[in-house]
Amino acid sequence: MLSKIYSAAIFGLETTLIEVEVDVSNGLHSFSIIGLPDISIKESKQRVSAAIKNIGAKSPLRANKKITINLAPADIKKYGSYYDIAIALGYLLASQQIIPFSPEKKIFVGELTLEGLVKPVRGVLAIAMWAEKNGYEYIFVPSKNAAEAAMAAKHLKVIGIKSLKELISFLENKINLSPYKAPKNFSYAFNKEMDFSQINGQARAKRALVIAASGNHNILMIGPPGSGKTLLAKAFLSILPIMSMEKCLEVTKIHSISGLLPPSQPLIMQCPFRSPHHTASSAALIGGGTHPIPGEITLAHCGILFLDELPEFKRDVLEGLRQPLEEGEICISRVQNRITFPAKFILIAAMNPCPCGYFGDSSKECVCRPGDIIRYRKKISGPLLDRIDIIINVPRLLFKEMNSNISLETSEEIKQKIIAARKIQEQRFINVDKRYPTISANGEMRIKEINEFCQVEQQAEILLKKAINKYSLSARSYHRILKISRTIADLEDTEIIKFNHVAEALQYKTEFSWNEY
Ligand SMILES: Nc1ncnc2c1ncn2[C@@H]1O[C@H](COP(=O)(O)OP(=O)(O)OP(=O)(O)O)[C@@H](O)[C@H]1O
Ligand SMILES: [Mg+2]
């Protein structure tokens, strides 16, 4: 007999329907899985057989039949353990060991243990989103993934299953399992490890971070050891507003596919903060592998990528950031396919000005030779620096700043200002025209939008012209200065970009002298 059960596979971030066809016919015993399966699927023969035996049914390895399992479409390479329960059900149906049920409009995903229990798999949210969009009625998922799948379900019924036996009983109408419903209100613990009010002094660096958070601008902090660069970067998370539901789902989907979704948290609501170590490989940062999986830049999508000790990263790894920083996505090409992952993040980088760390310090002397400083700074290429909107000095704190009792602005207070500036930007890009569906912040503006929205007053234009000639700034730098000026003006709720806005933006691009040592 023949049976057909529906399951799904994930390629990159996209979901594809997989039809699991099982044919059980008379003949010499054989048990084969075809349709370009990888080793983990070939091994599912053993898992499925043991699980079926252990729930008291006749295992395909012992049946005196010719069993063929086809995973269609046959030209796509399949991997992972998603299909275990679909294969088991297909076999039980085709060998007439269970009461027939209609597999139409039902999707089955989950891995089986030898005992017949169902284990969680990656990317269930993505599959549920796809099933909801394509009008499926039921999705059967491992019970540990049910909360995650329910986030995407409106009409789709999510059934969380613990074991193969339970699933069969439900399909045979012997037990009732109610669909899992997503909670209406979420109250997850946000990471409030660092607050801006805990950081003394560094008013300029804090201001620059507020601008970066308001308009999604990249920032590089340069300063001596212990000046608070890492501290400031960690506190940055506390001033970022909560993500929209659409972004929460997008971020959760990426983390779910990467296997990084905490079981207790079916929805990620806080912007992701990724801080890979400087020994990270190119594939770890950018994404890759035989079956391409998201790298750190995609995991940081809608959030922050923090690269501490920037010059310690391998140069080719840093150069790999150039395209995604410009495009907001990364395309990974393989011989058989091309996969595009989103990668819109705020880059926060930190470094010392020289190998010893004290170049330019007001009291401590730098012991580096000019050659050492040149080699150190050369690790960061000009094109990469050109893509960083804000470069600031973070000097060592003076004693009086360290011990001052002035009460500082809290992250919550700062966040309100950022939310106001972001609202202005949202209105700008949503209301104007449907041409800009993907732009939500000033940092993402393209030439067309810059020309349209960055009107500067005459005096400011004269200043810009002088600065470009004096500092030999590139066209990209010019555009980036305009974007920062736009954000500074938005923080003041001003439509026209004024002289002082451009002056401040220019400082961020020119205050650190790369060629001075
Ligand atoms: N502005 C500050 N306010 C309060 N504490 C600070 C400040 N700056 C530094 N510190 C203290 O110094 C420690 C080190 O700071 P941090 O790790 O941010 O330095 P850094 O600039 O990243 O140094 P490095 O260049 O060595 O990485 C902090 O854990 C904190 O105790
Ligand atoms: Mg540090």
Side-chain angles (χ1 to χ4, degrees):
M1 250 197 81
L2 183 76
S3 72
K4 195 198 274 182
I5 301 284
Y6 301 102
S7 189
I10 292 175
F11 298 97
L13 299 183
E14 301 302 322
T15 304
T16 311
L17 174 71
I18 301 290
E19 295 175 2
V20 180
E21 294 173 311
V22 182
D23 180 65
V24 177
S25 49
N26 291 328
L28 279 180
H29 171 73
S30 73
F31 181 21
S32 50
I33 298 181
I34 55 172
L36 289 183
D38 83 339
I39 193 85
S40 58
I41 296 176
K42 284 184 184 153
E43 282 175 355
S44 85
K45 274 202 272 188
Q46 311 296 331
R47 283 195 300 274
V48 169
S49 300
I52 289 176
K53 185 195 86 186
N54 288 327
I55 63 162
K58 192 160 191 187
S59 131
L61 283 180
R62 289 174 154 250
N64 215 357
K65 303 272 181 188
K66 183 175 187 293
I67 301 156
T68 312
I69 293 167
N70 179 33
L71 306 177
D75 60 340
I76 302 177
K77 268 195 175 166
K78 330 266 180 332
Y79 62 94
S81 51
Y82 298 92
Y83 320 107
D84 282 8
I85 61 171
I87 292 173
L89 274 182
Y91 167 72
L92 290 169
L93 211 53
S95 59
Q96 298 171 318
Q97 297 192 65
I98 55 174
I99 302 169
F101 66 93
S102 162
E104 291 306 313
K105 300 251 172 231
K106 295 185 180 86
I107 291 283
F108 297 87
V109 277
E111 178 182 326
L112 280 174
T113 66
L114 301 188
E115 214 182 330
L117 301 178
V118 180
K119 282 191 75 180
V121 289
R122 293 175 176 199
V124 168
L125 175 65
I127 298 173
M129 284 164 108
W130 166 87
E132 170 74 43
K133 199 171 145 203
N134 287 281
Y136 282 87
E137 193 182 350
Y138 280 98
I139 184 164
F140 295 87
V141 297
S143 58
K144 284 196 176 143
N145 293 129
E148 175 191 339
M151 291 297 155
K154 283 197 186 86
H155 305 291
L156 183 71
K157 290 179 190 140
V158 177
I159 308 286
I161 42 171
K162 290 195 186 76
S163 66
L164 184 60
K165 205 161 192 168
E166 185 185 52
L167 174 64
I168 294 166
S169 303
F170 175 79
L171 293 169
E172 288 180 331
N173 281 327
K174 287 180 186 158
I175 59 165
N176 187 28
L177 296 172
S178 38
Y180 198 97
K181 290 262 179 289
K184 289 232 162 22
N185 298 311
F186 302 95
S187 57
Y188 293 114
F190 280 77
N191 180 358
K192 288 183 180 158
E193 196 188 322
M194 277 306 305
D195 194 282
F196 261 44
S197 59
Q198 295 167 6
I199 303 174
N200 296 336
Q202 307 300 12
R204 288 204 62 241
K206 285 182 183 176
R207 163 78 178 163
L209 287 169
V210 170
I211 295 169
S214 304
N216 281 5
H217 301 289
N218 304 321
I219 179 166
L220 167 62
M221 294 183 279
I222 306 174
S227 59
K229 301 178 297 294
T230 306
L231 217 56
L232 283 159
K234 286 190 174 154
F236 187 76
L237 195 58
S238 66
I239 60 167
L240 284 185
I242 188 171
M243 292 188 286
S244 65
M245 191 59 182
E246 197 185 333
K247 282 190 177 170
C248 287
L249 283 171
E250 200 177 346
V251 169
T252 310
K253 178 174 147 179
I254 293 168
H255 281 71
S256 160
I257 288 173
S258 309
L260 294 174
L261 195 63
S264 58
Q265 195 186 350
L267 187 72
I268 296 176
M269 297 177 81
Q270 191 172 30
C271 296
F273 182 93
R274 305 293 306 177
S275 54
H277 189 253
H278 57 72
T279 49
S281 68
S282 190
L285 202 67
I286 307 297
T290 327
H291 309 296
I293 56 162
E296 291 291 340
I297 58 168
T298 301
L299 292 168
H301 182 59
C302 297
I304 304 146
L305 179 71
F306 175 42
L307 301 184
D308 207 358
E309 322 299 350
L310 190 67
E312 302 302 335
F313 280 83
K314 284 184 222 99
R315 199 184 155 114
D316 61 320
V317 172
L318 289 182
E319 292 307 292
L321 288 174
R322 282 166 56 174
Q323 190 230 339
L325 275 175
E326 204 79 343
E327 314 274 328
E329 60 181 31
I330 177 79
C331 182
I332 297 172
S333 296
R334 293 284 174 269
V335 178
Q336 290 197 336
N337 53 12
R338 298 174 81 223
I339 287 174
T340 303
F341 290 123
K344 263 189 199 168
F345 53 85
I346 300 176
L347 172 69
I348 302 186
M351 64 180 279
N352 300 123
C354 64
C356 86
Y358 292 100
F359 182 84
D361 191 83
S362 54
S363 53
K364 211 162 178 175
E365 207 172 321
C366 170
V367 294
C368 304
R369 288 169 300 181
D372 295 338
I373 303 179
I374 294 171
R375 258 194 306 281
Y376 183 74
R377 292 190 186 170
K378 254 186 147 177
K379 290 187 189 166
I380 303 151
S381 72
L384 183 65
L385 277 179
D386 211 30
R387 284 163 170 79
I388 297 177
D389 310 330
I390 301 174
I391 302 176
I392 46 154
N393 282 318
V394 183
R396 199 159 46 86
L397 272 193
L398 301 174
F399 185 74
K400 65 172 190 228
E401 287 174 312
M402 243 182 285
N403 277 348
S404 88
N405 299 326
I406 308 167
S407 73
L408 298 162
E409 246 185 331
T410 63
S411 292
E412 204 47 51
E413 287 162 351
I414 297 172
K415 196 192 276 183
Q416 294 312 317
K417 291 183 194 166
I418 294 170
I419 290 174
R422 284 203 178 189
K423 275 219 172 91
I424 297 173
Q425 298 170 55
E426 263 168 43
Q427 286 304 317
R428 177 177 299 140
F429 300 120
I430 290 174
N431 276 353
V432 176
D433 206 306
K434 290 284 177 225
R435 274 177 306 171
Y436 321 118
T438 55
I439 295 183
S440 60
N442 292 335
E444 296 162 19
M445 285 193 284
R446 294 161 291 212
I447 299 172
K448 206 171 182 181
E449 292 89 59
I450 293 173
N451 291 339
E452 198 167 338
F453 301 119
C454 296
Q455 307 295 336
V456 287
E457 65 175 19
Q458 206 182 3
Q459 262 186 314
E461 204 161 318
I462 297 168
L463 176 66
L464 257 176
K465 193 174 160 191
K466 275 190 191 160
I468 289 192
N469 290 335
K470 181 168 176 201
Y471 296 104
S472 314
L473 297 174
S474 69
R476 184 191 285 122
S477 292
Y478 168 68
H479 283 148
R480 289 194 175 241
I481 289 166
L482 281 176
K483 290 188 214 177
I484 303 169
S485 309
R486 178 68 270 164
T487 305
I488 298 171
D490 286 342
L491 276 163
E492 283 182 16
D493 196 4
T494 319
E495 187 52 44
I496 297 280
I497 299 172
K498 298 205 173 122
F499 182 84
N500 57 323
H501 304 146
V502 172
E504 189 180 350
L506 269 170
Q507 274 182 35
Y508 295 134
K509 209 57 187 156
T510 55
E511 82 166 26
F512 188 79
S513 176
W514 284 91
N515 300 324
E516 188 189 295
Y517 24 79

